[in-house]
Amino acid sequence: TSVERVDERNEIFFANKIVLVEGPSDKILISKLCENKWNINLDQKGVALTECGGKTGVAYFIGVCKLMGMNNYFAMWDKDSEGTSTSSILQKVLEDGNGCELSPNLEAYINASCDEKINTSGNKIANADTWAENVEPGLIPENLNKVRDFILSP
């Protein structure tokens, strides 16, 4: 529900690190990879994995982080036509090494860069969950491993 999402988003103010993602399929994918492939307990590490409601939302929460002096964030978004007004913000995040852009979107990025393909029909959240459960750790694409590296960095 929207109340749960607001409560979840409040975690960024108390987190050691913040991972900003566009939507629920991105969130379940990163969460599952952390849990099952990277052996990372997000709660123990104090990581807020935050669904932002799209690329524009990612840019919004980057702005919140910057205004609050929180530089402990990493953002992941799709390279699609949504949020073109935020392109300068997101470009700066890429230049600073605080994010990655998946071209043109999560599913197409995975299928172009990984032998383990993700289903692109049906429920995107269930497909992301299944892919993250089944992928071999050595096949996880580079941009997704950047999220892991950020979480594990000191």
Side-chain angles (χ1 to χ4, degrees):
T1 68
S2 60
V3 173
E4 289 169 347
R5 189 176 314 140
V6 169
D7 287 346
E8 169 194 286
R9 290 175 177 173
N10 288 337
E11 290 179 9
I12 69 171
F13 298 108
F14 307 101
N16 295 325
K17 293 187 177 189
I18 303 157
V19 176
L20 304 170
V21 297
E22 282 197 43
S25 57
D26 306 289
K27 183 176 179 177
I28 193 72
L29 186 125
I30 295 299
S31 178
K32 269 288 170 94
L33 290 175
C34 286
E35 183 181 328
N36 296 327
K37 305 301 176 183
W38 298 331
N39 197 28
I40 297 172
N41 183 317
L42 294 173
D43 289 333
Q44 282 182 347
K45 291 221 170 268
V47 176
L49 177 56
T50 306
E51 175 192 337
C52 300
K55 184 172 18 179
T56 304
V58 170
Y60 172 82
F61 279 98
I62 289 167
V64 170
C65 289
K66 287 182 175 189
L67 283 171
M68 299 297 294
M70 301 181 301
N71 297 313
N72 56 341
Y73 67 87
F74 190 90
M76 183 177 87
W77 63 89
D78 295 341
K79 182 179 185 171
D80 54 23
S81 59
E82 183 213 333
T84 53
S85 64
T86 64
S87 60
S88 63
I89 295 167
L90 298 177
Q91 184 59 41
K92 177 79 169 111
V93 170
L94 288 175
E95 291 168 6
D96 293 344
N98 291 336
C100 63
E101 184 173 70
L102 307 178
S103 182
N105 59 44
L106 174 68
E107 295 79 13
Y109 169 75
I110 288 173
N111 286 339
S113 55
C114 181
D115 291 338
E116 180 76 33
K117 304 302 181 196
I118 190 170
N119 187 349
T120 57
S121 62
N123 184 313
K124 288 177 68 170
I125 299 168
N127 295 343
D129 182 64
T130 300
W131 182 86
E133 185 74 34
N134 295 326
V135 68
E136 292 297 322
L139 295 178
I140 298 169
E142 176 187 0
N143 276 338
L144 300 180
N145 282 323
K146 287 179 181 179
V147 177
R148 177 204 60 204
D149 295 345
F150 165 75
I151 293 169
L152 293 176
S153 67

